[in-house]
mmCIF file with all atom_site columns, all heavy atoms in Angstrom:
data_model
loop_
_atom_site.group_PDB
_atom_site.id
_atom_site.type_symbol
_atom_site.label_atom_id
_atom_site.label_alt_id
_atom_site.label_comp_id
_atom_site.label_asym_id
_atom_site.label_entity_id
_atom_site.label_seq_id
_atom_site.pdbx_PDB_ins_code
_atom_site.Cartn_x
_atom_site.Cartn_y
_atom_site.Cartn_z
_atom_site.occupancy
_atom_site.B_iso_or_equiv
_atom_site.pdbx_formal_charge
_atom_site.auth_seq_id
_atom_site.auth_comp_id
_atom_site.auth_asym_id
_atom_site.auth_atom_id
_atom_site.pdbx_PDB_model_num
ATOM 1  N N   . PRO T 1 169 ? 77.485 -26.972 -40.094 1.00 0.00 ? 169 PRO T N   1
ATOM 2  C CA  . PRO T 1 169 ? 78.780 -26.392 -39.745 1.00 0.00 ? 169 PRO T CA  1
ATOM 3  C C   . PRO T 1 169 ? 79.919 -27.325 -40.128 1.00 0.00 ? 169 PRO T C   1
ATOM 4  O O   . PRO T 1 169 ? 79.767 -28.561 -40.079 1.00 0.00 ? 169 PRO T O   1
ATOM 5  C CB  . PRO T 1 169 ? 78.690 -26.200 -38.227 1.00 0.00 ? 169 PRO T CB  1
ATOM 6  C CG  . PRO T 1 169 ? 77.222 -26.111 -37.942 1.00 0.00 ? 169 PRO T CG  1
ATOM 7  C CD  . PRO T 1 169 ? 76.571 -27.036 -38.931 1.00 0.00 ? 169 PRO T CD  1
ATOM 8  N N   . ALA T 1 170 ? 81.057 -26.760 -40.507 1.00 0.00 ? 170 ALA T N   1
ATOM 9  C CA  . ALA T 1 170 ? 82.193 -27.566 -40.970 1.00 0.00 ? 170 ALA T CA  1
ATOM 10 C C   . ALA T 1 170 ? 82.652 -28.567 -39.918 1.00 0.00 ? 170 ALA T C   1
ATOM 11 O O   . ALA T 1 170 ? 83.134 -29.658 -40.255 1.00 0.00 ? 170 ALA T O   1
ATOM 12 C CB  . ALA T 1 170 ? 83.342 -26.650 -41.370 1.00 0.00 ? 170 ALA T CB  1
ATOM 13 N N   . ALA T 1 171 ? 82.504 -28.220 -38.637 1.00 0.00 ? 171 ALA T N   1
ATOM 14 C CA  . ALA T 1 171 ? 82.951 -29.106 -37.568 1.00 0.00 ? 171 ALA T CA  1
ATOM 15 C C   . ALA T 1 171 ? 81.855 -30.054 -37.079 1.00 0.00 ? 171 ALA T C   1
ATOM 16 O O   . ALA T 1 171 ? 82.078 -30.842 -36.158 1.00 0.00 ? 171 ALA T O   1
ATOM 17 C CB  . ALA T 1 171 ? 83.467 -28.269 -36.394 1.00 0.00 ? 171 ALA T CB  1
ATOM 18 N N   . HIS T 1 172 ? 80.689 -30.019 -37.697 1.00 0.00 ? 172 HIS T N   1
ATOM 19 C CA  . HIS T 1 172 ? 79.558 -30.848 -37.265 1.00 0.00 ? 172 HIS T CA  1
ATOM 20 C C   . HIS T 1 172 ? 79.801 -32.311 -37.655 1.00 0.00 ? 172 HIS T C   1
ATOM 21 O O   . HIS T 1 172 ? 80.368 -32.594 -38.716 1.00 0.00 ? 172 HIS T O   1
ATOM 22 C CB  . HIS T 1 172 ? 78.280 -30.341 -37.925 1.00 0.00 ? 172 HIS T CB  1
ATOM 23 C CG  . HIS T 1 172 ? 77.021 -30.826 -37.292 1.00 0.00 ? 172 HIS T CG  1
ATOM 24 N ND1 . HIS T 1 172 ? 76.536 -32.103 -37.473 1.00 0.00 ? 172 HIS T ND1 1
ATOM 25 C CD2 . HIS T 1 172 ? 76.132 -30.198 -36.463 1.00 0.00 ? 172 HIS T CD2 1
ATOM 26 C CE1 . HIS T 1 172 ? 75.411 -32.239 -36.805 1.00 0.00 ? 172 HIS T CE1 1
ATOM 27 N NE2 . HIS T 1 172 ? 75.132 -31.101 -36.185 1.00 0.00 ? 172 HIS T NE2 1
ATOM 28 N N   . PRO T 1 173 ? 79.394 -33.275 -36.839 1.00 0.00 ? 173 PRO T N   1
ATOM 29 C CA  . PRO T 1 173 ? 79.573 -34.704 -37.189 1.00 0.00 ? 173 PRO T CA  1
ATOM 30 C C   . PRO T 1 173 ? 78.960 -35.079 -38.538 1.00 0.00 ? 173 PRO T C   1
ATOM 31 O O   . PRO T 1 173 ? 79.487 -35.942 -39.242 1.00 0.00 ? 173 PRO T O   1
ATOM 32 C CB  . PRO T 1 173 ? 78.866 -35.428 -36.039 1.00 0.00 ? 173 PRO T CB  1
ATOM 33 C CG  . PRO T 1 173 ? 78.949 -34.480 -34.886 1.00 0.00 ? 173 PRO T CG  1
ATOM 34 C CD  . PRO T 1 173 ? 78.850 -33.111 -35.477 1.00 0.00 ? 173 PRO T CD  1
ATOM 35 N N   . LEU T 1 174 ? 77.857 -34.438 -38.913 1.00 0.00 ? 174 LEU T N   1
ATOM 36 C CA  . LEU T 1 174 ? 77.213 -34.750 -40.186 1.00 0.00 ? 174 LEU T CA  1
ATOM 37 C C   . LEU T 1 174 ? 78.030 -34.295 -41.394 1.00 0.00 ? 174 LEU T C   1
ATOM 38 O O   . LEU T 1 174 ? 77.797 -34.753 -42.519 1.00 0.00 ? 174 LEU T O   1
ATOM 39 C CB  . LEU T 1 174 ? 75.816 -34.111 -40.250 1.00 0.00 ? 174 LEU T CB  1
ATOM 40 C CG  . LEU T 1 174 ? 74.751 -34.680 -39.309 1.00 0.00 ? 174 LEU T CG  1
ATOM 41 C CD1 . LEU T 1 174 ? 73.459 -33.876 -39.412 1.00 0.00 ? 174 LEU T CD1 1
ATOM 42 C CD2 . LEU T 1 174 ? 74.485 -36.155 -39.624 1.00 0.00 ? 174 LEU T CD2 1
ATOM 43 N N   . ALA T 1 175 ? 78.991 -33.406 -41.172 1.00 0.00 ? 175 ALA T N   1
ATOM 44 C CA  . ALA T 1 175 ? 79.813 -32.895 -42.279 1.00 0.00 ? 175 ALA T CA  1
ATOM 45 C C   . ALA T 1 175 ? 80.653 -33.997 -42.907 1.00 0.00 ? 175 ALA T C   1
ATOM 46 O O   . ALA T 1 175 ? 81.086 -33.876 -44.054 1.00 0.00 ? 175 ALA T O   1
ATOM 47 C CB  . ALA T 1 175 ? 80.705 -31.760 -41.790 1.00 0.00 ? 175 ALA T CB  1
ATOM 48 N N   . ALA T 1 176 ? 80.891 -35.066 -42.177 1.00 0.00 ? 176 ALA T N   1
ATOM 49 C CA  . ALA T 1 176 ? 81.710 -36.160 -42.701 1.00 0.00 ? 176 ALA T CA  1
ATOM 50 C C   . ALA T 1 176 ? 80.918 -37.087 -43.617 1.00 0.00 ? 176 ALA T C   1
ATOM 51 O O   . ALA T 1 176 ? 81.497 -37.932 -44.304 1.00 0.00 ? 176 ALA T O   1
ATOM 52 C CB  . ALA T 1 176 ? 82.304 -36.959 -41.545 1.00 0.00 ? 176 ALA T CB  1
ATOM 53 N N   . LYS T 1 177 ? 79.597 -36.936 -43.662 1.00 0.00 ? 177 LYS T N   1
ATOM 54 C CA  . LYS T 1 177 ? 78.762 -37.808 -44.475 1.00 0.00 ? 177 LYS T CA  1
ATOM 55 C C   . LYS T 1 177 ? 78.710 -37.339 -45.926 1.00 0.00 ? 177 LYS T C   1
ATOM 56 O O   . LYS T 1 177 ? 78.828 -36.151 -46.213 1.00 0.00 ? 177 LYS T O   1
ATOM 57 C CB  . LYS T 1 177 ? 77.342 -37.863 -43.897 1.00 0.00 ? 177 LYS T CB  1
ATOM 58 C CG  . LYS T 1 177 ? 77.249 -38.615 -42.566 1.00 0.00 ? 177 LYS T CG  1
ATOM 59 C CD  . LYS T 1 177 ? 75.814 -38.658 -42.096 1.00 0.00 ? 177 LYS T CD  1
ATOM 60 C CE  . LYS T 1 177 ? 75.670 -39.626 -40.913 1.00 0.00 ? 177 LYS T CE  1
ATOM 61 N NZ  . LYS T 1 177 ? 75.772 -41.031 -41.363 1.00 0.00 ? 177 LYS T NZ  1
ATOM 62 N N   . ALA T 1 178 ? 78.485 -38.281 -46.841 1.00 0.00 ? 178 ALA T N   1
ATOM 63 C CA  . ALA T 1 178 ? 78.370 -37.953 -48.264 1.00 0.00 ? 178 ALA T CA  1
ATOM 64 C C   . ALA T 1 178 ? 77.020 -37.333 -48.572 1.00 0.00 ? 178 ALA T C   1
ATOM 65 O O   . ALA T 1 178 ? 76.896 -36.491 -49.471 1.00 0.00 ? 178 ALA T O   1
ATOM 66 C CB  . ALA T 1 178 ? 78.590 -39.190 -49.122 1.00 0.00 ? 178 ALA T CB  1
ATOM 67 N N   . ASP T 1 179 ? 75.990 -37.756 -47.861 1.00 0.00 ? 179 ASP T N   1
ATOM 68 C CA  . ASP T 1 179 ? 74.663 -37.168 -47.970 1.00 0.00 ? 179 ASP T CA  1
ATOM 69 C C   . ASP T 1 179 ? 73.971 -37.285 -46.612 1.00 0.00 ? 179 ASP T C   1
ATOM 70 O O   . ASP T 1 179 ? 74.419 -38.032 -45.737 1.00 0.00 ? 179 ASP T O   1
ATOM 71 C CB  . ASP T 1 179 ? 73.827 -37.816 -49.083 1.00 0.00 ? 179 ASP T CB  1
ATOM 72 C CG  . ASP T 1 179 ? 73.845 -39.345 -49.002 1.00 0.00 ? 179 ASP T CG  1
ATOM 73 O OD1 . ASP T 1 179 ? 74.018 -39.886 -47.887 1.00 0.00 ? 179 ASP T OD1 1
ATOM 74 O OD2 . ASP T 1 179 ? 73.694 -39.997 -50.049 1.00 0.00 ? 179 ASP T OD2 1
ATOM 75 N N   . ILE T 1 180 ? 72.898 -36.529 -46.444 1.00 0.00 ? 180 ILE T N   1
ATOM 76 C CA  . ILE T 1 180 ? 72.286 -36.412 -45.125 1.00 0.00 ? 180 ILE T CA  1
ATOM 77 C C   . ILE T 1 180 ? 70.773 -36.574 -45.255 1.00 0.00 ? 180 ILE T C   1
ATOM 78 O O   . ILE T 1 180 ? 70.152 -36.018 -46.162 1.00 0.00 ? 180 ILE T O   1
ATOM 79 C CB  . ILE T 1 180 ? 72.613 -35.046 -44.480 1.00 0.00 ? 180 ILE T CB  1
ATOM 80 C CG1 . ILE T 1 180 ? 74.134 -34.858 -44.378 1.00 0.00 ? 180 ILE T CG1 1
ATOM 81 C CG2 . ILE T 1 180 ? 71.974 -34.928 -43.109 1.00 0.00 ? 180 ILE T CG2 1
ATOM 82 C CD1 . ILE T 1 180 ? 74.543 -33.467 -43.908 1.00 0.00 ? 180 ILE T CD1 1
#
Side-chain angles (χ1 to χ4, degrees):
H172 197 284
L174 292 176
K177 290 182 169 287
D179 49 28
I180 302 173

